[in-house]
Amino acid sequence: MEPSPLTQQARPEVFQQKIVQLYEQLFIVDDDEQTEGFWKEFFLLKPDRLSLRRILEEESPDDLLNYPQSRQLFTRAVACLRSESSSRANADLHALDTLTTFLSCVLDKKYTNPSSDVINVLVGLEEVDAVFTDFVSALDNIIRAGRSLELRQKAVQVALAVTSGAWSTTLLTYFIQRDLFMGITNFIQDSDTPSRAADAFILLGMLANYNKFEFQNPYQMRLSDFVNERAIRTIIATIGAACQQLRACYVDVHDDVPEGWTLSNTLGIIGLRSIAPGASKAATTKSVYDDETAKKMFSLLPMNQAAILLSTFDFAHLNKLFCTNLVVMGSTEKGAERPLASYISLTSYILQHAYLSGRATQYAHLNLMAFRLLIEDPILCKALCSTTCAPIRMCRQRQPLLPQITMDRPLICYLLDLMVDGVNHNLRRRLDVGLYTLCVGILLRIISYLSRTRCRLQYHWAELWRSLLSLVRFLGTYANDISGLPQVETLLDHVVNLVALSLSAGEAFLPGPAAYDDLFYKVVETHDVLLKFRDAYSLGKRPSNSIGTLIGVGQHYRRILEENAGKKRLGKLDTLQMAAIIKEGYETLSIQTKEGLDRWEKFREPDERVLLKKVAREAVTGVKSLVRE
């Protein structure tokens, strides 16, 4: 090998950046302490994050505990962030990039004693208070008022690396003691792209969820008191953009929007696409996956960015101003989708595939709880009923499909569609009782509001009744599998009381007599199913439901049918004949319902603490992956 004419040293076989040589000198060469010159050069050079990650991943937890190099790197990086001269040659920028990679690798390792071992790896027990206080303070100052948005975003990413990586340790108490709320919201408000704001909003949700059931988390209180409407609207726009990106991943697997009529499509049907306008241009076609492949791909969704849904739920739970703006805020650009429409749309995709993974199930639960919070507020429910919206892209990737409506509708109609889809597409013997209780419970709350306010709603009600009674049929058929599941009694009562309330108060909210007749027709038609359902769960012995009302309506009309049509013709009447008999039966029908069918318990977060802790852990896992990308 020829020597270099400049240095007379042998040329290396492969070119290696100087920063990589410094990484190897730090972690591979056994030096106790590096010089000031080493660290000055270290942070002046642009990091090679892949090389640093490769070196750190080869180190075992014991190696990191026994060597001082990791402590040197962390403390020197913190000092660089606090130095007033660090902006020269982007040393602070390089320090943040280095810390993101370093912390994501170090905190991802499995330690015997997570809290104490991580502290020993980063700073040592003696120095942890001083160094970590300086570290969090430096991050706060940069996020709040760094010299550029790029620098501020990198500080957010470092905070995300610590928050997700040290979730099960005591290190996050330093982020609780130092209030980063205003710094984070200032950065969100100053952000020039939704992706920048999304990272910060996710960080806010992570901090607000840290041990929130164990102590009074100050970030929860700050979310509750936050009244900066400009920042709130920026956050809502960010949520909308994130939901569209997450939905696009589902559409990439299977584009479920029917292709519109075009001359090119029509010519293609008869084999003459080559003469269509623009046929000479290369056509781009999406991949079409077989059912098994598509199912596997759907099981990996939603992507890691879904961690933003945890922050969204917390804001919806704690901040009424946020909820109001979420409902009434239109699109930020002409012709664009309004944020709530994107949120509803994404939820429909998650909900149709919720059964494929625990992760999808948890996020489906989370979003449904947010919608429950909106519905339980009568002012917001009124806004949902009175605010019309252009057609929302609802998931149509699995049968059965709801009718596709092409006209503007009130937002409440899309929420009804969402719940009906949830009921239709998650029927399993090992039923997700919590998911169904949420879906049916939200339907009960909507019908309660509509009946109390006498708000007549144009909606495909027949689809709702069909779904509810199909659920009753399913519950009765698989009673042996379902009866022992936790909290199933609540679901059974919700289903029965929802149908009973609709029967007794349908005149107040259904658009006309035909819709009301159809409900009675379907109840009478499923009379035998309702009897089996009642007996399978001994519902007649429990005073918390109105199963007697449903059975009584069926028996009343069965008697009329037998008197007018004879037993031989029973069940052979067509729809028009049946409708006529139903109208005739109104005169002698007396619907006896239990008091309080239109009352329900308000949402209490502690009741869902187990689920919310699972969702928080899922979000942590997603953020870890985001930081590593």
Side-chain angles (χ1 to χ4, degrees), residues 102-109 111 118 122 161-162 165-166 171 624:
F102 171 74
L103 290 168
S104 65
C105 289
V106 168
L107 297 176
D108 197 42
K109 295 186 183 296
Y111 299 96
V118 165
L122 295 180
V162 180
L171 283 179
K624 280 184 182 180

Side-chain angles (χ1 to χ4, degrees), residues 263-264 267 272-280:
L263 178 59
S264 176
L267 290 171
L272 298 175
R273 188 182 296 276
S274 60
I275 67 171
S280 59

Side-chain angles (χ1 to χ4, degrees), residues 451 496-506 516 519-520 543-553 589-599:
S451 63
V496 172
N497 292 341
L498 174 55
V499 179
L501 176 62
S502 301
L503 283 171
S504 62
Y516 203 24
L519 171 58
F520 276 88
S544 54
N545 65 79
S546 289
I547 190 64
T549 300
L550 307 187
I551 301 299
V553 168
L589 175 65
S590 175
I591 299 179
Q592 301 294 327
T593 61
K594 295 183 180 297
E595 293 291 331
L597 285 182
D598 62 344
R599 300 194 193 104

Side-chain angles (χ1 to χ4, degrees), residues 440-616:
V440 179
I442 290 171
L443 288 171
L444 177 62
R445 286 157 175 78
I446 292 174
I447 299 301
S448 298
Y449 176 83
L450 295 175
S451 63
R452 286 198 304 271
T453 59
R454 306 191 69 80
C455 176
R456 295 188 182 275
L457 193 65
Q458 290 291 337
Y459 182 71
H460 33 254
W461 292 104
E463 299 294 335
L464 174 56
W465 313 138
R466 185 178 295 111
S467 295
L468 287 175
L469 294 171
S470 294
L471 175 59
V472 168
R473 186 185 302 273
F474 180 88
L475 292 170
T477 302
Y478 297 103
N480 291 337
D481 300 287
I482 296 172
S483 58
L485 297 177
Q487 306 299 319
V488 72
E489 294 84 2
T490 303
L491 171 60
L492 300 174
D493 291 345
H494 277 2
V495 173
V496 172
N497 292 341
L498 174 55
V499 179
L501 176 62
S502 301
L503 283 171
S504 62
E507 287 181 318
F509 65 87
L510 292 173
Y516 203 24
D517 293 346
D518 182 64
L519 171 58
F520 276 88
Y521 174 76
K522 285 183 168 58
V523 170
V524 174
E525 188 181 38
T526 56
H527 179 66
D528 293 338
V529 174
L530 289 166
L531 288 173
K532 179 181 177 182
F533 174 63
R534 178 197 63 185
D535 296 340
Y537 294 97
S538 302
L539 295 179
K541 299 178 181 178
R542 292 216 320 272
S544 54
N545 65 79
S546 289
I547 190 64
T549 300
L550 307 187
I551 301 299
V553 168
Q555 290 173 339
H556 173 76
Y557 278 100
R558 286 299 176 102
R559 283 194 297 269
I560 295 176
L561 283 168
E562 291 174 3
E563 292 170 2
N564 293 328
K567 290 186 179 181
K568 291 183 179 180
R569 294 183 57 194
L570 185 61
K572 297 182 180 180
L573 300 176
D574 61 28
T575 304
L576 290 176
Q577 291 171 324
M578 189 71 180
I581 290 177
I582 286 173
K583 289 180 181 179
E584 178 187 337
Y586 285 159
E587 299 176 2
T588 55
L589 175 65
S590 175
I591 299 179
Q592 301 294 327
T593 61
K594 295 183 180 297
E595 293 291 331
L597 285 182
D598 62 344
R599 300 194 193 104
W600 31 261
E601 294 183 2
K602 279 206 163 189
F603 177 82
R604 291 182 67 257
E605 191 180 44
D607 295 340
E608 304 293 342
R609 62 186 299 167
V610 174
L611 173 67
L612 289 170
K613 285 187 174 184
K614 288 181 180 178
V615 178

Side-chain angles (χ1 to χ4, degrees), residues 221-259:
M221 293 184 286
R222 297 303 299 272
L223 285 174
S224 177
D225 297 336
F226 192 58
V227 293
N228 184 333
E229 191 161 5
R230 181 186 164 197
I232 285 175
R233 293 176 73 84
T234 301
I235 288 171
I236 292 172
T238 299
I239 294 167
C243 288
Q244 292 174 32
Q245 291 176 349
L246 290 164
R247 178 186 62 195
C249 297
Y250 284 93
V251 176
D252 285 342
V253 178
H254 171 48
D255 193 343
D256 54 338
V257 170
E259 193 173 10

Side-chain angles (χ1 to χ4, degrees), residues 247-257 291 294 298 301 348-350 352-353 355 393-401 421 425:
R247 178 186 62 195
C249 297
Y250 284 93
V251 176
D252 285 342
V253 178
H254 171 48
D255 193 343
D256 54 338
V257 170
D291 291 344
F298 281 133
L301 301 176
S348 76
Y349 280 83
I350 295 176
Q352 276 206 13
H353 303 285
Y355 70 99
R393 179 168 187 166
M394 306 295 283
C395 183
R396 300 177 66 81
Q397 293 175 330
R398 296 179 59 223
Q399 297 285 347
L401 301 178
D421 260 351
H425 292 112

Side-chain angles (χ1 to χ4, degrees), residues 331 335-338 341-342 344 387-394 405-411 414:
S331 57
E337 201 172 42
R338 63 193 298 155
S342 302
I344 293 172
T387 304
T388 58
C389 178
I392 295 176
R393 179 168 187 166
M394 306 295 283
I405 309 298
T406 57
M407 64 182 68
D408 292 3
R409 294 193 293 167
L411 284 167
Y414 298 103

Side-chain angles (χ1 to χ4, degrees), residues 209-411:
N209 276 274
Y210 177 68
N211 283 352
K212 69 178 181 180
F213 293 109
E214 281 69 39
F215 66 89
Q216 195 171 30
N217 186 309
Y219 290 94
Q220 292 271 314
M221 293 184 286
R222 297 303 299 272
L223 285 174
S224 177
D225 297 336
F226 192 58
V227 293
N228 184 333
E229 191 161 5
R230 181 186 164 197
I232 285 175
R233 293 176 73 84
T234 301
I235 288 171
I236 292 172
T238 299
I239 294 167
C243 288
Q244 292 174 32
Q245 291 176 349
L246 290 164
R247 178 186 62 195
C249 297
Y250 284 93
V251 176
D252 285 342
V253 178
H254 171 48
D255 193 343
D256 54 338
V257 170
E259 193 173 10
W261 181 93
T262 65
L263 178 59
S264 176
N265 294 340
T266 306
L267 290 171
I269 293 172
I270 60 176
L272 298 175
R273 188 182 296 276
S274 60
I275 67 171
S280 59
K281 297 181 181 179
T284 56
T285 58
K286 285 191 174 183
S287 300
V288 178
Y289 303 101
D290 61 82
D291 291 344
E292 194 61 33
T293 301
K295 188 174 180 180
K296 290 179 180 177
M297 296 175 73
F298 281 133
S299 69
L300 301 176
L301 301 176
M303 301 298 285
N304 295 318
Q305 289 83 351
I308 199 172
L309 300 177
L310 179 63
S311 311
T312 304
F313 167 79
D314 277 299
F315 237 134
H317 175 232
L318 296 167
N319 194 294
K320 292 301 181 186
L321 183 61
F322 172 85
C323 292
T324 302
N325 277 275
L326 179 63
V327 172
V328 304
M329 182 173 161
S331 57
T332 54
E333 298 177 7
K334 187 176 181 180
E337 201 172 42
R338 63 193 298 155
L340 181 57
S342 302
Y343 187 57
I344 293 172
S345 177
L346 172 64
T347 306
S348 76
Y349 280 83
I350 295 176
L351 196 54
Q352 276 206 13
H353 303 285
Y355 70 99
L356 289 176
S357 71
R359 187 161 170 272
T361 299
Q362 289 162 18
Y363 280 122
H365 277 262
L366 188 72
N367 283 14
L368 288 175
M369 287 192 294
F371 287 122
R372 176 181 167 180
L373 288 165
L374 298 181
I375 293 298
E376 287 184 355
D377 187 314
I379 296 175
L380 295 178
C381 199
K382 180 180 179 180
L384 288 167
C385 292
S386 59
T387 304
T388 58
C389 178
I392 295 176
R393 179 168 187 166
M394 306 295 283
C395 183
R396 300 177 66 81
Q397 293 175 330
R398 296 179 59 223
Q399 297 285 347
L401 301 178
L402 291 176
Q404 192 164 21
I405 309 298
T406 57
M407 64 182 68
D408 292 3
R409 294 193 293 167
L411 284 167

